Amino acid sequence: MLAAFIISLILFSGTGCEGLLDKQPLTSISDANFWTGEEDALLALVGCYRFPSGWTHEDFAHPQGLIYLDLAGGNGVEKENFTTLGMATSNTVATSGNILGYWSNAYSQIAHYNTFLDKIVDCPMNEGKKVLWAAEVKCLRAYYLFYLAFHWKDVPMPLTTLSVDDANSISQTPQADVYKKVEDDLKAAIAILPSERVSSEYGRFTKGAAQVLLSRLYLAQGRWSDASIVLKNVIDSGVYEIDRSNGDLSYEKLFQIGGEYSSEMIFSIQYLKDNITTSRYIYLSPEALGGWHQFAPYNELVKSYFCSDGKDIANSAVYDDDDPYINRDLRLYASIFLPPLGTYKGTTFNNVTYNCFLGPNKRDSYNRYTLFNGYCPKKGLDASVSNPYATYTYTPIMRYAEVLLSYLEAVNERAPGNVDQQLLDLTINDIRDRVNLPPVQIADVGSQDLVRQAVRKERRVELAFEGFRYFDVLRWGIAEQELNHSFTGVKLSDDPNAPNYRGSGATASPVDEDMYYIFETRTWAAHNRYFPIPQNDLNINKNLKQNQGYN
Amino acid sequence: MKKIKSFHECDFSCLTKTFRIMRITVFLMLAVILQTFANEVYSQKTKLSLDYTNTRLEDVLDEIEEFSEFFFLANEKLVDLNRNVNLSVKNKKIDEILDILFAGTDVVYTITDRKIILAPSFLTEHAQQQRTISGKVTDSGGQPLPGVTVVKKGTTQGTVTNAYGDFSLANIPEDATLVFSFVGMRTVEVVVGNQATINVTLEIDAIGIEEVVAVGYGTQRKVNLTGSVAAIEATDLANKPVATTSQAIAGLVPGLSVVQNSGRPGTSATVRIRGTGTFSSAGNNPLVLIDGMAGSIDDVSPDDVESISFLKDAASASIYGSRAANGVILIQTNKGKDGKFRVSYNNSLGWQKPTELPDFLSSWEYATYYNEAMENMGNSAAYTTEQIQKFKDGSDLDNYPNVNHLEWLLNSGSGFQQRHNIGLQGGNDRIIQNFSIGYWKQDGMTAKTSNERYNVLWNTKSKLLESLTLDTHLNSYTNLYKAPNGEPQSIDGIIGYAVRQGPIYAGHKSDGSFGYQDSYSPEAWLASESFVKNNVVNITGTVQFSWATPIKGLSVSGKTGITYNTNYNKAYRAKTYFDDSKTVGPATLSVVSGNNTYKAFEGLVKYEKQLASHSINILAGSTFDEYKENYLTGYRNTFPNNYLYELTSGAASSMSNNGYSNEWSLLSYFGRINYSYLDRYLMEMNARYDGSSRFASNGRWGFFPSVSAGWRISQEKFWQNSELNNVINNLKLRGSWGVLGNQNIGTYPYQQTYSLGQNAVWGSPGTMVSGARITTFNNPEITWETTRILNIGIDFNLWSGKINGGIDYFDKYTDNILSSVQVTRIMGRSVGQSNIGAVSNKGIEINIEYNTKFGKDVRLSFAPNFTYIQNAVEELADGALTDINNNRIVGEPLGIIYGYKTNGLFVDQDEINAAPNQLISKGGLKPGYICYKDISGPDGVPDGMVNSTYDRSVIGSTTPKFYYGLSINASYIGFDFSALLQGLGGHQRLIGSYMAYTFYNGGQIQQWQVDNRWTTKNPDKWAKYPRLETLNMSNTNLQVSDYWLRDASFLRIKNVQLGYTFTKSFVSQLGLQQLRVFFSGQNLYNFNSFYKGWDPENEISTGDAPSFYPINSIYSFGINAKF
């Protein structure tokens, strides 16, 4: 009996059959069981619409990534200098972690799109949907491919799932060919995508979104005629209109929660409270509101906002150099925290009044960090979000104001003679009217260059912090002027009794001739037009060639 | 307690021959136990049943030793052990048996407890020689020793002691030296001089005892080991004021590296056997078996350890096959020694403080140097003279504070720790039990941080039948870790940010608010109700039946064991007040509840056969292991107040949950053959055949064989007859080769899977839609990592055990390393494991032990050990020679530091102009910046510009090349002293960000930076700190370069212990058997040339989210009492 017991123990372990060793995953689906029908394809399609969230920052479709691109274009700086020195200055190096971030996240998204496009071909499902869904995913891919080519010039262009060998040997495709592929895919998609979505599908690519993306490509290439045609189509579709639903607060509210459903929204990324969120507000908010006050908008941006009479500060009758924050464009108040100065009482948000003149070591103090300057961005901040680490405010990617301004620009560049009052009213004045600014009169913009200046100024302030500025200064070829000088912050004073007293003698804060705080000097060289190919990938793929000017 | 074997072919002079290498501490313990527990009961109680026909007497005595705790001492020249005897007894006492065995011979026996001395009867009569010199030989317990050889040194003139231990020798001149020797005892030499009477006490020689060490699925006599196995005993771990067994083994064993990364309560040390074998996720952790069950080294309290074996080479480890590539650690827990009832109580109380702390400047100095940095950057000063004055005079501490946040934080906790352990042993001749209960609590140096543990061990060994033994083993513990929570969500992170937060930020302000930087304030987070709590309950139970079958030498055993582990982790971040403008919220709560079950079944068959001079042992077995884990997580935020922190209290709208499971299994067949001839020529073969669920069915099975051999040269006649034998008493050569595997690579690594939960938000209004995508690209063809180890070793004893030691050379080669192949980011996905690459570790291990004695009472021993390991990457994927992104280069060790070489600092603009183009344009460079060297270019020669492709090279390595330890033990009457020094060397480290750079992202400045900085007044090219500026990650000075590299070698006074044992007469008045008090200090001092204020052993993650917990020095005292 005893022997039997022990022997059975031994046999139990010894005769363990092969089946004991078959273990299947318990929380994911194995490849072999996937792509069996439309439900699987839909799961994969949703997977394609998942954009980087959380603490991922460097991405062309992440709110923080877009702010970085805006600051890089001369609208401001990051407290710890992640963006400007790392990405868009003559000090940019190929080992920049930020640049690698944008590059990696773009290719990561593209890989998901390519797998989807490879696999859906053989998925048993409705053919119409198959074509339509593939077209959407190609639009998503076009978005990332476009930004890769725009910022790095010649880039690898994978169009199918890569093997490891492929990824380590793929060569760069000339920028023109990438642009061509983007154009072809978008054109094909425009032909079949719906103009509008049923409410349950809201947020997916539409014809209008594909057209706007195509227009960006044309603008980047200087193809003004093509741009004006595709943009005119968007305008004529009648789907979109400038959002005036909140009166004077329309512009400010547009970027807060709910703005994603606005009549002006063409494409945006939505999040969900407690589930899919970003870390945007902890970076964005001033210290007075519990944030890190990570960004400092330049005074150069503040100055470019109009005055309430519609004129810029150099020409406005209502502008007082000693009282610079009063009588200004509503968009300035909606976009930037301004300190109390002169008759301006300081920006109040959620019952907290912003002040950068509380003294050394005090919150938001204009020189508390080397790269503080007194200002803080405000656009998009929504008081109802209580947890700044888990921001669920949506991210606008394309909206109608962009269409109107791009259209005016394209027409003016292609055929300045076609710019008339009617066109101005249709485009720039529609936008200005929302923020109570008087219309631009054709008489005041009597030359192509004056229209160009007007549209560029409007674009800078209307689209501030939405990720357009670096794109714009690069394609306009003005980066060398715009990014090669000292930058300033709030206005200071030599009056020892003024709250913004700058101190005296050697310890006085430096100011420019208008008494604005000088706090940073940036340099930008011609070769910075393109980012360096990340050293990480150059180390592995010997077929990649570094862009000119980078060591 | 191991047995003494005394039967050897040897001549007169080799009676002193000794075999065993053991520390004097063990020897002391042994001697104590022999005295303390000596009693007549055992020999009276123990009954044996034996049946032999025509068997050599030696074999019969061997077997009695095997089946009982008796051991025999005899002089083989005087007692004939080769004669054949017949014996058939049932349930007889030992004296009855001996009477039968020696009936009709002149041999008489003396039984003292378990010790049986055999000697010819003539010795019991009075010595017949003329007495010129006479005396008595006794053992340390005062018992007379018969049969001791006494010879005049250098001659054959001599005698042996009689039954009363008496001897006498005639014609001995005054200048003669008498040598007293007896197997199992340490030889004593006495100069005669004018003495007429010489009384000698011989002591049991630790090295005369053949230690038995645990090996895979059994035990082996150490002298017969052919593999490389190191063993330590309970005494090596005793009374160290550390929480975990992993920390307690540091520095004790060659080939073993133990690195204590952190002083956080409850943290394990990182244990490596013979270097870093792989860079894969399979990892470098050795397989740990606790009484045969796989587990973690820290599942066992140091108090419960009886012994630990480290199986270092392939021959000893290959019986564990696919899990043994990183070596195997076998832990035996206390089993109970005999039936005697014993109670012991041990405790220790201690206090911790950080080993090193950075020296931050005070706030007025901070402001002063901040202004200098501003000036150096062309900016204006940030602080006025008046403000600096306010910092200095402390008149307005809310606005002009001076707070060392790190120091405050590390003094916020008591740092008190205590340990208590009660042990009970008892039983009878059929059942022996050992029971212990322990309590250990360590309060952190930081407030609200603690680790508390209870453990219970219960081992029983029962003889159900004469032939059937049942062993049961129950080991359980509960562990509760508590820590503050905040932003960041760990105490390590809170400490990391306290390094950043300058003295100019207030801590506690007078109005009850807190100063802070961004969201970081240790004061505010510690004041909040936030917490982290981790609760673990772990229970392991095993049952083993062993049956000695009727077939002689054949035994079988079956064993089954289960480990059940539950963990319940809670992290609550309260709504936290900083000041009126900042309250961080809402409150959030995450709960993770998990459990895992590990089941193991084992069947073994053993067969032993002794044929004249041949000895064969055969082992065959099979095991099946299965593991499954389940996790459930829940989250909610927004709680009614800060004191409600159960999930249901949170807002229902915020709730989310998650769950996952994993499982794996392993089926194995294995076997071993040991063969020895004349105890001189030893051979062993092992093999294991493993099937793992982690691989696809076609590549699931792996075969792991090994062979080893040993030659005990000192057993050879030629050796024993030579003069060499007087110096080298024991010498063994051994060699081994074998293959091991590593399969610890995630549960389903070969399957391509779509991960679920890749959701997005669609719709108006937006709702979550479910999505899926492939996040990792897996390779279906992966298979085992294999490690081949060649080991050659030598063991020796010199001068009768004064010096013992061993030297091993090993060559360990791991290939098919499972790792993600390097891939560009263009791939778009992480890539799963493939069998790429190889790593080698070649090295030498040396351990020496030197025992000596001064006068009568002072004993001293030194035991240094030293290991040198040359680690190198041998192969990377697809024949690549470099994988820069992962810091791997063929021919270089793992953990290299790859960066720029520098040529000091630029002293002036001229030097900048003349230098090769640097990483940034020359317009951006200033005197006092780091000058990078142009070492190469596209054509293989310097090209006039510094660039990341051509001008970076290997500038250092974080992998230590050698590690060493030194144990010193000394005793004097009741006092005992021990010290352990431990060191690592030949490696470098960088620290970074807030820890190394001034004002980094708003961080601090340290004294060493100021003292060594480059200044315009003193533009020292070789200054240790560059031009003072505020820095951030993009700064050109902060590239990885040799400028920031520091030697991370260190020598640490790891442990010092001083104890006093009270005299027996004193303690017996207290009703005790033994009482010892001790002081013990851990990590008392560290010699190094690392960054000032930073411990080179401390793991410090830098970057922009720094975190660490300082290693601590511990001062403790306690008592050891036996009742």
Side-chain angles (χ1 to χ4, degrees), chain B residues 452-465:
Chain B
E452 190 176 16
R453 189 175 171 111
Y454 293 88
N455 56 275
V456 171
L457 176 76
W458 184 26
N459 286 327
T460 67
K461 187 181 187 82
S462 323
K463 216 163 192 183
L464 300 181
L465 299 168

Side-chain angles (χ1 to χ4, degrees), chain B residues 863-896:
Chain B
N865 69 69
F866 176 84
T867 307
Y868 170 82
I869 294 187
Q870 190 182 20
N871 173 282
V873 174
E874 297 287 344
E875 216 180 294
L876 293 167
D878 304 324
L881 293 176
T882 61
D883 178 358
I884 302 299
N885 299 332
N886 289 306
N887 287 326
R888 289 171 205 144
I889 294 180
V890 171
E892 299 284 347
L894 290 171
I896 51 167

Side-chain angles (χ1 to χ4, degrees), chain A residues 2-3 5-6 9-10 12-14 16-18 20-31 34-35 42-47 49-50 79-82 85-86 90-91 93-95 100 103-104 107-109 111-112 115 119 156 158 161-165 167-168 170 199-202 204 261 270-272 274-276 282 287-292 360-363 367-370 386-389 506-510 519 535-537 539-541 544 551, chain B residues 370 374 379-384 387 391 399-400 465 468 487 500 504-505 516-520 545 547 556-558 573 581-582 584-586 601 603-604 622 624 626 637 654 659-667 669 691 693 700-701 748 751-754 756-766 768-774 777 821-829 831 884-885 918-921 945-949 952 1001-1002 1030 1032-1034 1039 1104:
Chain A
L2 182 63
F5 175 76
I6 289 174
L9 258 183
I10 294 168
F12 180 79
S13 54
C17 66
E18 189 71 21
L20 291 171
L21 299 177
D22 287 323
K23 302 284 183 193
Q24 293 302 318
L26 303 169
T27 47
S28 49
I29 307 172
S30 109
D31 194 32
F34 205 64
W35 294 106
L42 184 62
L43 279 174
L45 179 68
V46 174
Y49 273 96
R50 183 178 176 89
K79 177 165 87 185
E80 289 160 9
N81 221 350
F82 287 145
L85 270 180
S90 54
N91 292 338
V93 291
T95 45
L100 178 63
W103 170 275
S104 305
Y107 280 109
S108 169
Q109 294 295 112
H112 297 305
T115 301
K119 293 285 189 177
T161 304
L162 295 180
S163 69
V164 172
D165 288 346
N168 291 352
I170 191 169
S199 69
S200 66
E201 293 180 359
Y202 184 78
R204 288 168 57 174
Y261 313 125
Q270 303 184 48
Y271 308 92
L272 193 67
D274 297 323
N275 274 293
I276 303 179
I282 190 64
E287 293 179 294
L289 286 161
W292 293 349
N361 300 324
K362 297 293 178 158
R363 63 193 192 212
N367 60 354
R368 175 163 172 158
Y369 287 88
T370 318
S386 59
N387 182 359
Y389 296 93
T507 61
S509 299
F519 78 112
Q535 186 66 36
N536 182 82
D537 283 4
N539 286 341
I540 302 169
N541 182 340
L544 295 180
N551 285 353
Chain B
Y370 193 81
M374 287 289 123
N379 296 346
S380 68
Y383 297 91
T384 62
Q387 287 166 349
F391 279 126
N399 293 307
Y400 297 91
L465 299 168
L468 184 70
E487 174 64 35
R500 178 196 190 201
I504 55 155
Y505 295 93
Y516 54 90
Q517 186 177 22
D518 292 336
S519 302
Y520 307 116
F545 287 96
W547 180 36
V556 294
S557 67
R573 196 167 81 177
S581 70
K582 187 175 186 103
V584 173
F601 305 92
L604 294 180
S622 166
F624 177 66
E626 191 170 36
N637 64 35
S654 67
Y660 65 92
S661 290
N662 277 308
E663 52 186 351
W664 58 260
S665 58
L666 185 70
L667 177 60
Y669 304 92
S693 68
R700 177 170 283 170
W701 289 90
Y748 315 105
Q751 300 183 348
Q752 205 68 265
T753 58
Y754 280 77
L756 297 169
Q758 302 289 314
N759 305 335
V761 180
W762 282 353
S764 169
M768 186 129 84
V769 283
S770 297
R773 58 193 197 182
I774 297 177
F777 205 77
V821 295
Q822 58 171 339
V823 64
T824 60
R825 300 294 178 92
I826 303 159
M827 179 82 191
R829 292 189 171 102
V831 174
I884 302 299
N885 299 332
Q918 298 283 301
L919 292 160
I920 63 168
S921 57
M945 62 165 70
V946 176
N947 124 350
S948 52
T949 304
R952 291 189 297 169
N1001 286 351
T1030 68
N1032 56 58
M1033 71 185 284
S1034 315
Q1039 299 288 329
D1104 292 310

Side-chain angles (χ1 to χ4, degrees), chain B residues 96-115:
Chain B
E96 299 171 293
I97 294 168
L98 294 175
D99 283 341
I100 297 169
L101 282 176
F102 296 105
T105 70
D106 65 343
V107 174
V108 295
Y109 57 86
T110 317
I111 303 172
T112 313
D113 185 28
R114 294 156 181 74
K115 178 177 70 187

Side-chain angles (χ1 to χ4, degrees), chain B residues 26 710 977:
Chain B
V26 177
F977 168 83

